[in-house]
Amino acid sequence: MSGTSALSLPSQAAAPRGSSWMLSPYALPAHALRIAARCALPLIIWFSLGRLVRWGLLLLAATLSHGSWYQARLIVVLFLFTLVVMTSLATTVGMLYVIRDALMETRARRTAGEGREGIFGALNRTALVFSGLYMTWGFVDQDVRDFENIDIFRQPDRWLVDRFAHEESTVAHGLTGLDVKVSLLAMGMAYLIKTFFGRRHEANEGRFSGIFATFGELAFVFYGLNATAAAVGARTDWIGHRAVVAVWHNWFDGAKADIPGWEAFWGFVGEVWPYVIDALAAPLAWLTVGILVYGAYAEDTQTTIRGTRLERAATHLERTHSLTRRALTKLTAGWTERWVPLLNSLRLTARGGAPLFGLFALCYVGLHIGGDYLGRGGRYLFASDKPYLWLATDVPVDFVADLLVTTLSMCLIAATFDLAASRDRAGR
């Protein structure tokens, strides 16, 4: 193969057998395409089954969100919506899992007698972190939009009929219409589930404890959103006029007027920040899921910071008063769930070199931009003068575009992990 010498390590003796030409970070796109070609069929099957189950659950939830016994129906709707997110988890883990045999790191682990794990072990380990990333980085927003769109297109005239009948429409309100008291009761049940199985998962007890804990965590959040929506709406004016809030707004407005460049700086940050999230944080979030599926290096915060100064600080923290420790844990919980897994991914990827991380982010963003253009091209190709034909053509176009982008993204994640882990193994 041409260019092999340019892609190989200086010392090939330390590299896993048969993988020396792949250890350069610049081989990432070729390695991802090789994995995609080898694992195309199982990836397509996993993606198709996952989408079928997901859309079936969304359609069932939208259908059940109307009718008599409305509050009881909404409890079931939120239960089904929780299953939608769990389906996304199972699909992602399944797609990454079927790729494992095409990875150099997997062959090296099996040669060393390691890495023989079933899909349920990977699913159990990944579930809790996946739910945190899925919620905190807003990936669940697409599920909400799909639910609302299905509910609207099921009965396009339902909203107008309810309005002319002077009735409050329930269209697209199936995820937010639950009564506060019912929500609190459902929250209590979900909290018990997530606490019980969460403790079992922390103690490494139970084969599916992480999965059930994740389900309880998601259900607790979804029912909790309904419980807090009415309370927050009722207290918005009261909160806005409290002294502390008023002082903060006055100080911020004064800073914009008195500090030169203050408003321009925050305006620039506001414009750039969404691109930073899309280009860096989102790829790292999915890379974190891939790292956990393959069981590499870190499953929790303690092993994430191993070998750094933070480990000594954490050791000191373990000796502090238990009340102080619990308070600090509560205060930093959101930061931990949102950023520590991403820092772990960045740390692992950095072991493969800065070019590996840069090329991974570039390829990830390029895939999604290409997917958008592919979807537009498909709609342009099937455009017609016949009215409402787009209702039949847009669905398969979107499916094909999502299929290509998702499968290639999973292969890219696996290839990035493979190169980073193989280079780290070679270095050790």
Side-chain angles (χ1 to χ4, degrees):
M1 180 176 179
S2 61
T4 300
S5 59
L7 295 175
S8 59
L9 286 174
S11 175
Q12 297 185 9
R17 185 175 64 181
S19 62
S20 60
W21 71 276
M22 289 260 185
L23 289 176
S24 169
Y26 299 105
L28 177 62
H31 192 26
L33 291 175
R34 184 189 69 87
I35 293 173
R38 180 174 175 180
C39 306
L41 182 59
L43 284 171
I44 292 173
I45 292 174
W46 266 101
F47 178 85
S48 302
L49 288 176
R51 282 304 172 95
L52 179 63
V53 173
R54 178 178 178 273
W55 284 106
L57 289 172
L58 287 173
L59 179 59
L60 179 60
T63 304
L64 290 176
S65 63
H66 306 283
S68 58
W69 295 84
Y70 184 60
Q71 293 298 318
R73 286 173 175 268
L74 293 191
I75 294 178
V76 180
V77 167
L78 287 172
F79 175 84
L80 293 174
F81 190 77
T82 306
L83 291 181
V84 169
V85 179
M86 296 296 292
T87 301
S88 299
L89 163 65
T91 304
T92 303
V93 173
M95 293 181 72
L96 290 169
Y97 184 79
V98 297
I99 299 174
R100 72 195 187 286
D101 289 334
L103 304 184
M104 301 176 294
E105 176 67 10
T106 302
R107 294 195 293 271
R109 288 182 182 183
R110 290 179 176 176
T111 302
E114 308 169 356
R116 298 188 180 277
E117 181 185 45
I119 187 173
F120 290 109
L123 187 63
N124 195 51
R125 180 177 58 247
T126 311
L128 281 172
V129 175
F130 179 90
S131 66
L133 294 172
Y134 204 79
M135 298 295 294
T136 55
W137 289 106
F139 299 132
V140 72
D141 294 346
Q142 185 61 48
D143 296 324
V144 175
R145 287 192 293 268
D146 289 339
F147 170 84
E148 293 175 348
N149 290 335
I150 288 178
D151 199 15
I152 292 172
F153 281 110
R154 276 183 62 255
Q155 297 176 324
D157 59 340
R158 178 68 179 268
W159 181 79
L160 290 175
V161 171
D162 292 337
R163 187 171 183 177
F164 283 122
H166 301 288
E167 296 178 359
E168 185 177 355
S169 178
T170 58
V171 176
H173 286 79
L175 300 179
T176 57
L178 197 61
D179 183 75
V180 174
K181 295 180 180 179
V182 180
S183 298
L184 291 174
L185 180 61
M187 277 179 65
M189 297 295 295
Y191 182 81
L192 292 177
I193 294 174
K194 84 182 190 72
T195 302
F196 175 75
F197 286 103
R199 291 178 177 176
R200 286 179 60 84
H201 181 65
E202 291 175 358
N204 293 323
E205 298 177 357
R207 186 179 182 185
F208 305 107
S209 57
I211 299 173
F212 285 112
T214 302
F215 180 86
E217 184 78 30
L218 293 171
F220 180 78
V221 171
F222 294 143
Y223 289 118
L225 290 175
N226 279 270
T228 57
V232 171
R235 293 166 61 91
T236 299
D237 295 336
W238 182 87
I239 293 175
H241 289 87
R242 293 304 89 197
V244 175
V245 178
V247 169
W248 162 254
H249 285 297
N250 291 336
W251 180 87
F252 196 83
D253 292 338
K256 288 194 297 183
D258 298 337
I259 300 177
W262 178 273
E263 189 170 3
F265 171 76
W266 286 110
F268 173 77
V269 171
E271 293 178 359
V272 172
W273 185 247
Y275 298 104
V276 174
I277 295 298
D278 291 340
L280 298 177
L284 277 175
W286 288 114
L287 183 59
T288 299
V289 176
I291 291 171
L292 290 174
V293 169
Y294 298 125
Y297 301 105
E299 298 177 24
D300 53 24
T301 305
Q302 186 64 34
T303 51
T304 299
I305 63 177
R306 183 169 296 163
T308 67
R309 294 180 181 179
L310 289 176
E311 183 182 20
R312 293 191 293 272
T315 303
H316 176 73
L317 180 62
E318 289 295 325
R319 295 194 295 265
T320 60
H321 192 272
S322 60
L323 180 60
T324 304
R325 186 167 65 249
R326 287 197 298 270
L328 182 60
T329 301
K330 293 293 184 182
L331 288 173
T332 59
W335 186 91
T336 301
E337 291 179 359
R338 189 173 178 88
W339 290 105
V340 167
L342 270 62
L343 293 176
N344 172 44
S345 298
L346 182 60
R347 185 184 180 195
L348 171 61
T349 311
R351 296 178 183 179
L356 178 63
F357 169 68
L359 194 56
F360 165 69
L362 181 64
C363 292
Y364 182 91
V365 173
L367 275 176
H368 285 75
I369 293 176
D372 291 339
Y373 278 104
L374 180 63
R376 293 182 186 181
R379 293 185 183 90
Y380 178 80
L381 181 64
F382 289 101
S384 174
D385 294 333
K386 296 181 179 179
Y388 305 110
L389 182 64
W390 60 272
L391 290 173
T393 58
D394 279 5
V395 172
V397 168
D398 290 339
F399 179 84
V400 172
D402 290 344
L403 171 65
L404 291 175
V405 172
T406 304
T407 53
L408 290 177
S409 296
M410 295 299 107
C411 294
L412 182 66
I413 291 169
T416 304
F417 161 80
D418 197 21
L419 294 180
S422 297
R423 288 176 68 86
D424 180 73
R425 181 181 293 270
R428 288 185 281 111

